[in-house]
Amino acid sequence: MSDIIHQNNNIILLDGEKIFNPTPKLLTNTEEFRTEALTFQEYGYYTKHKADTISGRRYWEEMRQRSLTGYTANGVHISGYNYFYLNFSPILKVESEVKLEDGSDQVSGYKLEGFPEFWDGDNLYFDYIDECEKAGKHAIVLKARRRGYSYKAASMLDRNYYMIPQSRSYAFAYSKEFLLGDGILTKAWNMMDFVDANTALGKRRQYYNQALHRRASYKKNIDGIEIEHGYKSEIMGVTLQDEIQKIRGRSGKLMLFEEAGMFPGLLEAWNIAIRSMQQGRITYGTLVAFGTGGTVDADFMALEAMFGRPKSYSILPCINIWSKVVVGNKYVGFFSPEYINREGCMDKNGNSQIDKAKLELDNKWEKLIKDGASSLQLARNKAEEPVTPEEACLRVVGSMFPVDELRNIQGELLTSRVKQDTVYIGKLFINPDSGEVEWKQTNDTPIINFPITPNDPVDGCLVIWQHPVANSSGIIPFG
């Protein structure tokens, strides 16, 4: 692959192909990006101008444009998704009852509704989604727990609903519990209630105003005929537990796959959805799947495969800046590690204090080991609060082995393996004349990736990294 030929913000072009650079940038004066939210917090309204006045209409049109195309302040641009999230999407935020000091242990706290703070990790994520849309690609996100991705997803659904007429946005999940209750759609409806009550962006919903479906339209009688009027944008939640094929034929501006690490049939659903979102070379919608590590068995393998081989699934790849050893997966999906936006480890502008966060985590693991935690318990904690993608992908159930340490050794072995100049691909056979086992080189294709995608060859073959060495008599010793 050629050297970098162009770089613009977070996008790098390599051989004409877009790659996302997820390296955080140090930002200042980030309150400039949430001035509308701060105004509402102080005064209880966004603007003094009435919505039906010229100045009022100008104000709300400006808010719409910022929510669509983004906003620039101090030479830094944030995406429209991020702008709408920061200023029009109240969430439940964790507040501590005492001030956290360096080296302090866990403390009690509570949740309070308020607007999101500006976080560098969130900004990177929304930039990634924005670049996916521009490139006609899709997104995969592997993340630590408790990073507010359900709130971000809910806000993305609402942003399209209020800002893009006739748009369709979907939230897919394997079971209904991930959509309702404390799920995406419940959060989206709560944000929607706020927008309807406090802005001039509100939409009537006479045709569909249900738990899994809302549509911005109303009934109007014209010459005795009932006509549907309005924005006609909509948000739909769909559960695929009973039948993956329910996703077939659906298309929209945005399709979200919630809890992708616990989503049987994710690959099948993803491949069906991609075909619905493309026409020739044109991609007119974006798929986004996000999930957390620490999940078990085959349900997680699909997310792991898509993250590790993004190009195979039409996903915009990221430079892998997170793995300690990068072998064969130089480009992966988007990863949100525990040290980004960790509570108590951010400055006033929302920049992650990475060294501080990593030190806290190291101390936490050392304490767990000192207190006698099992390998299984340690692996589960690291999978849910991962520093690397490999930790997020740890198998944590049914193993008596120190899987985290074994993963590190695996990385060392992979590194030493790729340093070898030659591998031998072929087959063994018995020479009919001598009766000895001999080696014949072939052009077969070995299986080197796992899980296997539908396009991978599956016949396999024998691979020898180093031939056995004969003794001084020319004989290879037994074993």
Side-chain angles (χ1 to χ4, degrees):
M1 186 169 283
S2 68
D3 293 331
I4 295 173
I5 59 174
H6 174 70
Q7 181 167 344
N8 180 19
N9 295 329
N10 293 101
I11 285 293
I12 295 171
L13 287 182
L14 293 171
D15 289 337
E17 185 175 15
K18 288 187 175 182
I19 309 292
F20 187 80
N21 178 9
T23 305
K25 300 177 179 66
L26 185 65
L27 302 175
T28 59
N29 301 319
T30 56
E31 297 289 77
E32 292 289 328
F33 298 117
R34 50 194 300 266
T35 53
E36 311 309 314
L38 295 174
T39 297
F40 188 89
Q41 283 182 176
E42 184 172 358
Y43 300 108
Y45 58 80
Y46 283 100
T47 177
K48 294 180 178 179
H49 303 296
K50 300 295 183 183
D52 57 355
T53 64
I54 293 176
S55 54
R57 285 192 291 269
R58 285 176 178 169
Y59 174 83
W60 289 111
E61 178 57 27
E62 175 66 17
M63 294 302 103
R64 180 175 177 273
Q65 287 301 317
R66 292 183 185 184
S67 297
L68 283 173
T69 61
Y71 179 63
T72 301
N74 303 315
V76 176
H77 183 81
I78 68 169
S79 71
Y81 278 126
N82 198 8
Y83 189 85
F84 185 85
Y85 176 66
L86 290 170
N87 292 286
F88 300 106
S89 306
I91 64 174
L92 287 178
K93 302 192 297 182
V94 175
E95 299 288 346
S96 174
E97 290 185 348
V98 299
K99 183 179 179 181
L100 285 171
E101 302 291 345
D102 290 347
S104 64
D105 206 339
Q106 295 294 107
V107 295
S108 62
Y110 57 93
K111 288 188 175 182
L112 183 69
E113 185 174 83
F115 291 100
E117 306 288 336
F118 185 94
W119 287 359
D120 59 351
D122 286 356
N123 190 50
L124 275 173
Y125 164 71
F126 284 122
D127 279 349
Y128 175 61
I129 299 299
D130 198 43
E131 295 296 346
C132 288
E133 289 190 346
K134 293 175 183 176
K137 297 293 185 180
H138 307 290
I140 193 79
V141 179
L142 183 62
K143 63 184 183 65
R145 287 203 182 277
R146 297 176 299 277
R147 284 298 177 269
Y149 273 82
S150 290
Y151 282 115
K152 286 184 272 290
S155 176
M156 292 166 67
L157 295 171
D158 280 358
R159 177 263 200 178
N160 292 346
Y161 174 87
Y162 284 109
M163 305 301 168
I164 305 175
Q166 300 185 359
S167 63
R168 288 182 176 179
S169 297
Y170 289 91
F172 294 108
Y174 185 67
S175 63
K176 191 178 292 187
E177 66 179 287
F178 297 131
L179 298 178
L180 303 177
D182 193 35
I184 284 182
L185 289 186
T186 299
K187 292 178 170 66
W189 304 158
N190 289 339
M191 293 175 183
M192 191 176 286
D193 289 342
F194 172 84
V195 173
D196 287 343
N198 297 287
T199 77
L201 304 171
K203 303 287 184 285
R204 285 188 276 176
R205 297 182 292 274
Q206 283 185 289
Y207 275 82
Y208 296 100
N209 190 28
Q210 302 159 359
L212 292 174
H213 188 184
R214 291 194 177 184
R215 179 175 168 89
S217 65
Y218 60 93
K219 303 172 184 178
K220 189 172 183 179
N221 192 294
I222 300 178
D223 297 329
I225 301 175
E226 189 177 274
I227 305 294
E228 183 183 13
H229 277 253
Y231 223 56
K232 297 182 182 178
S233 56
E234 54 191 325
I235 299 171
M236 286 170 277
V238 181
T239 58
L240 301 177
Q241 185 171 6
D242 300 325
E243 186 182 0
I244 294 293
Q245 295 296 324
K246 285 193 294 185
I247 201 172
R248 192 175 297 278
R250 298 177 187 267
S251 63
K253 169 68 175 173
L254 182 68
M255 288 187 173
L256 303 175
F257 292 79
E258 166 72 306
E259 289 292 353
M262 296 186 287
F263 203 128
L266 175 63
L267 286 183
E268 181 183 359
W270 185 269
N271 289 327
I272 292 173
I274 282 181
R275 291 192 289 272
S276 299
M277 302 284 263
Q278 293 178 336
Q279 185 170 334
R281 296 177 60 189
I282 300 174
T283 301
Y284 45 84
T286 306
L287 310 181
V288 183
F290 51 94
T292 305
T295 317
V296 199
D297 301 331
D299 294 354
F300 186 74
M301 288 171 60
L303 176 63
E304 185 178 3
M306 293 164 68
F307 177 83
R309 302 172 65 189
K311 296 179 184 180
S312 300
Y313 302 95
S314 298
I315 292 166
L316 181 66
C318 300
I319 299 173
N320 186 355
I321 64 171
W322 306 286
S323 295
K324 295 177 181 177
V325 177
V326 178
V327 178
N329 57 343
K330 186 176 180 181
Y331 304 111
V332 293
F334 186 88
F335 179 56
S336 179
E338 176 65 23
Y339 58 77
I340 295 292
N341 300 145
R342 180 175 171 85
E343 293 290 341
C345 297
M346 288 179 288
D347 68 18
K348 65 179 183 179
N349 286 299
N351 296 298
S352 298
Q353 297 170 321
I354 294 175
D355 291 341
K356 179 181 178 182
K358 286 184 175 181
L359 180 61
E360 277 192 8
L361 290 167
D362 287 342
N363 291 338
K364 180 177 180 178
W365 308 144
E366 289 179 10
K367 187 175 187 301
L368 280 173
I369 294 171
K370 185 177 179 181
D371 292 344
S374 65
S375 296
L376 179 61
Q377 183 182 354
L378 187 63
R380 183 185 298 279
N381 275 270
K382 286 196 172 186
E384 293 187 351
E385 300 180 46
V387 170
T388 66
E390 290 74 22
E391 289 180 350
C393 295
L394 289 173
R395 300 295 188 270
V396 298
V397 172
S399 176
M400 60 182 288
F401 300 106
V403 288
D404 186 37
E405 290 87 343
L406 290 173
R407 179 75 81 168
N408 292 333
I409 294 173
Q410 179 191 34
E412 295 174 9
L413 293 174
L414 288 170
T415 302
S416 62
R417 186 184 78 178
V418 298
K419 290 178 181 178
Q420 299 188 50
D421 295 329
T422 308
V423 296
Y424 304 92
I425 297 171
K427 62 182 179 180
L428 297 171
F429 68 99
I430 297 178
N431 188 315
D433 297 326
S434 65
E436 298 292 328
V437 176
E438 295 186 6
W439 166 262
K440 181 179 181 180
Q441 195 155 333
T442 68
N443 293 321
D444 296 330
T445 302
I447 298 174
I448 58 175
N449 294 308
F450 189 80
I452 296 168
T453 70
N455 298 323
D456 289 335
V458 294
D459 292 336
C461 60
L462 184 63
V463 178
I464 293 181
W465 291 88
Q466 183 177 3
H467 282 291
V469 180
N471 61 22
S472 58
S473 301
I475 298 173
I476 297 173
F478 178 79

